[in-house]
Amino acid sequence: MTITEYNTCVKNYADAVYRFIYKNIKDEDKAKDIVQDTFEKMWLKVDNIIAEKAKSYLFTAAYNTMIDSIRKDKHKATYEEHYDDYLTTNNNYNDLKKVINLAFSKLNEIQKSVIMLRDYEGYSYEEIGKITGLNESQVKVYIYRARLNLKEYIGSLENVV
Protein backbone atom coordinates (compact mmCIF):
# COMPACT_ATOMS: atom_id res chain seq x y z
CA MET A 1 0.00 0.00 0.00
CA THR A 2 1.36 3.41 -0.90
CA ILE A 3 1.18 6.55 1.23
CA THR A 4 -1.45 7.97 -1.11
CA GLU A 5 -3.56 4.83 -0.76
CA TYR A 6 -3.16 4.99 3.03
CA ASN A 7 -4.31 8.62 3.08
CA THR A 8 -7.27 7.74 0.86
CA CYS A 9 -8.11 4.90 3.22
CA VAL A 10 -8.06 7.28 6.20
CA LYS A 11 -10.28 9.72 4.35
CA ASN A 12 -12.76 7.06 3.22
CA TYR A 13 -13.06 4.85 6.30
CA ALA A 14 -12.19 6.87 9.43
CA ASP A 15 -15.80 7.95 10.04
CA ALA A 16 -17.21 4.46 9.49
CA VAL A 17 -14.68 2.88 11.86
CA TYR A 18 -15.41 5.57 14.46
CA ARG A 19 -19.18 5.02 14.19
CA PHE A 20 -18.71 1.27 14.55
CA ILE A 21 -16.54 1.62 17.66
CA TYR A 22 -18.59 4.43 19.24
CA LYS A 23 -21.85 2.54 18.80
CA ASN A 24 -20.33 -0.39 20.68
CA ILE A 25 -18.63 1.36 23.58
CA LYS A 26 -20.58 4.65 23.93
CA ASP A 27 -17.50 6.68 24.87
CA GLU A 28 -16.36 9.35 22.41
CA ASP A 29 -12.84 9.72 23.73
CA LYS A 30 -12.21 6.00 23.97
CA ALA A 31 -13.66 5.47 20.49
CA LYS A 32 -11.34 8.14 19.09
CA ASP A 33 -8.38 6.52 20.83
CA ILE A 34 -9.25 3.11 19.41
CA VAL A 35 -9.61 4.55 15.89
CA GLN A 36 -6.28 6.32 16.29
CA ASP A 37 -4.62 3.10 17.49
CA THR A 38 -6.15 1.21 14.58
CA PHE A 39 -4.77 3.61 12.00
CA GLU A 40 -1.41 3.54 13.76
CA LYS A 41 -1.36 -0.27 13.52
CA MET A 42 -2.23 0.01 9.86
CA TRP A 43 0.56 2.54 9.30
CA LEU A 44 3.10 0.25 10.95
CA LYS A 45 2.08 -2.56 8.57
CA VAL A 46 1.44 -0.38 5.52
CA ASP A 47 3.94 -2.33 3.40
CA ASN A 48 2.19 -5.64 4.12
CA ILE A 49 -1.40 -4.52 3.43
CA ILE A 50 -3.06 -4.71 0.04
CA ALA A 51 -5.03 -1.53 -0.70
CA GLU A 52 -8.11 -3.49 -1.84
CA LYS A 53 -8.28 -5.24 1.55
CA ALA A 54 -7.62 -2.15 3.65
CA LYS A 55 -11.25 -1.71 4.75
CA SER A 56 -11.46 -5.27 6.01
CA TYR A 57 -8.11 -4.91 7.77
CA LEU A 58 -9.26 -1.68 9.44
CA PHE A 59 -12.50 -3.09 10.79
CA THR A 60 -10.78 -6.26 11.98
CA ALA A 61 -8.02 -4.29 13.72
CA ALA A 62 -10.56 -1.86 15.21
CA TYR A 63 -12.71 -4.70 16.49
CA ASN A 64 -9.73 -6.46 18.09
CA THR A 65 -8.45 -3.21 19.62
CA MET A 66 -11.92 -2.50 21.01
CA ILE A 67 -12.18 -5.98 22.54
CA ASP A 68 -8.72 -5.58 24.11
CA SER A 69 -9.75 -2.22 25.54
CA ILE A 70 -13.00 -3.61 26.93
CA ARG A 71 -11.21 -6.53 28.55
CA LYS A 72 -8.65 -4.20 30.08
CA ASP A 73 -11.32 -1.88 31.48
CA LYS A 74 -13.68 -4.65 32.57
CA HIS A 75 -12.24 -4.82 36.06
CA LYS A 76 -12.68 -1.05 36.48
CA ALA A 77 -16.44 -1.22 36.94
CA THR A 78 -17.83 1.72 38.86
CA TYR A 79 -20.58 1.91 41.43
CA GLU A 80 -22.90 3.54 38.90
CA GLU A 81 -22.55 0.70 36.43
CA HIS A 82 -23.49 -1.85 39.08
CA TYR A 83 -26.26 0.33 40.42
CA ASP A 84 -27.84 0.84 36.98
CA ASP A 85 -28.35 -2.91 36.62
CA TYR A 86 -30.70 -2.92 39.59
CA LEU A 87 -32.79 0.05 38.56
CA THR A 88 -36.05 -0.50 36.79
CA THR A 89 -38.23 2.19 35.38
CA ASN A 90 -41.55 2.35 33.66
CA ASN A 91 -40.98 5.38 31.47
CA ASN A 92 -43.06 6.00 28.40
CA TYR A 93 -40.60 7.05 25.73
CA ASN A 94 -41.52 9.30 22.87
CA ASP A 95 -38.07 9.28 21.37
CA LEU A 96 -37.59 6.09 19.39
CA LYS A 97 -33.87 6.68 19.01
CA LYS A 98 -33.42 6.72 22.80
CA VAL A 99 -35.38 3.48 23.14
CA ILE A 100 -33.34 1.78 20.42
CA ASN A 101 -30.05 2.98 21.92
CA LEU A 102 -31.12 1.77 25.35
CA ALA A 103 -32.13 -1.60 23.93
CA PHE A 104 -28.86 -1.77 22.01
CA SER A 105 -26.89 -1.09 25.19
CA LYS A 106 -28.42 -4.22 26.77
CA LEU A 107 -26.78 -6.50 24.17
CA ASN A 108 -23.49 -8.21 24.93
CA GLU A 109 -20.28 -7.14 23.16
CA ILE A 110 -20.33 -9.69 20.36
CA GLN A 111 -24.02 -9.12 19.61
CA LYS A 112 -23.46 -5.36 19.38
CA SER A 113 -20.54 -5.88 17.06
CA VAL A 114 -22.23 -8.26 14.64
CA ILE A 115 -25.41 -6.15 14.50
CA MET A 116 -23.34 -3.03 13.81
CA LEU A 117 -21.31 -4.73 11.10
CA ARG A 118 -24.37 -6.28 9.45
CA ASP A 119 -27.09 -3.63 9.77
CA TYR A 120 -25.11 -0.39 9.95
CA GLU A 121 -22.05 -1.14 7.85
CA GLY A 122 -23.61 -3.65 5.44
CA TYR A 123 -21.03 -6.43 5.70
CA SER A 124 -21.92 -9.95 4.60
CA TYR A 125 -21.99 -12.82 7.07
CA GLU A 126 -18.70 -14.11 5.67
CA GLU A 127 -16.99 -10.72 6.06
CA ILE A 128 -18.30 -10.36 9.62
CA GLY A 129 -16.91 -13.79 10.39
CA LYS A 130 -13.47 -12.76 9.15
CA ILE A 131 -13.55 -9.54 11.16
CA THR A 132 -14.74 -11.13 14.41
CA GLY A 133 -13.03 -14.50 14.08
CA LEU A 134 -16.34 -16.40 14.10
CA ASN A 135 -17.59 -18.82 11.48
CA GLU A 136 -20.55 -17.85 9.31
CA SER A 137 -23.13 -19.91 11.20
CA GLN A 138 -22.01 -18.41 14.54
CA VAL A 139 -22.41 -14.93 13.06
CA LYS A 140 -25.95 -15.76 11.95
CA VAL A 141 -26.82 -17.12 15.41
CA TYR A 142 -25.45 -14.03 17.18
CA ILE A 143 -27.36 -11.71 14.83
CA TYR A 144 -30.56 -13.71 15.30
CA ARG A 145 -30.24 -13.66 19.09
CA ALA A 146 -29.39 -9.96 19.12
CA ARG A 147 -32.45 -9.16 17.03
CA LEU A 148 -34.62 -11.28 19.32
CA ASN A 149 -33.27 -9.44 22.35
CA LEU A 150 -33.92 -6.08 20.70
CA LYS A 151 -37.43 -7.12 19.72
CA GLU A 152 -38.14 -8.42 23.22
CA TYR A 153 -36.82 -5.27 24.88
CA ILE A 154 -38.53 -2.80 22.58
CA GLY A 155 -41.76 -4.72 22.27
CA SER A 156 -44.32 -3.42 19.85
CA LEU A 157 -44.19 0.07 18.37
CA GLU A 158 -47.46 0.91 20.06
CA ASN A 159 -45.69 0.70 23.43
CA VAL A 160 -42.88 2.93 22.24
CA VAL A 161 -44.83 5.69 20.52
Side-chain angles (χ1 to χ4, degrees), residues 34-69:
I34 290 171
V35 172
Q36 181 90 18
D37 290 346
T38 302
F39 278 103
E40 179 185 8
K41 288 176 184 178
M42 186 175 184
W43 178 252
L44 294 173
K45 295 183 180 185
V46 73
D47 294 332
N48 301 331
I49 298 171
I50 300 169
E52 291 79 27
K53 298 191 180 221
K55 182 178 180 183
S56 178
Y57 174 85
L58 275 173
F59 275 90
T60 302
Y63 173 79
N64 290 331
T65 305
M66 177 188 69
I67 294 299
D68 290 345
S69 175

Side-chain angles (χ1 to χ4, degrees), residues 128-146:
I128 295 169
K130 288 179 184 175
I131 290 171
T132 60
L134 302 169
N135 65 42
E136 196 171 327
S137 61
Q138 288 173 313
V139 170
K140 289 178 183 178
V141 168
Y142 279 117
I143 290 173
Y144 174 76
R145 289 179 181 165

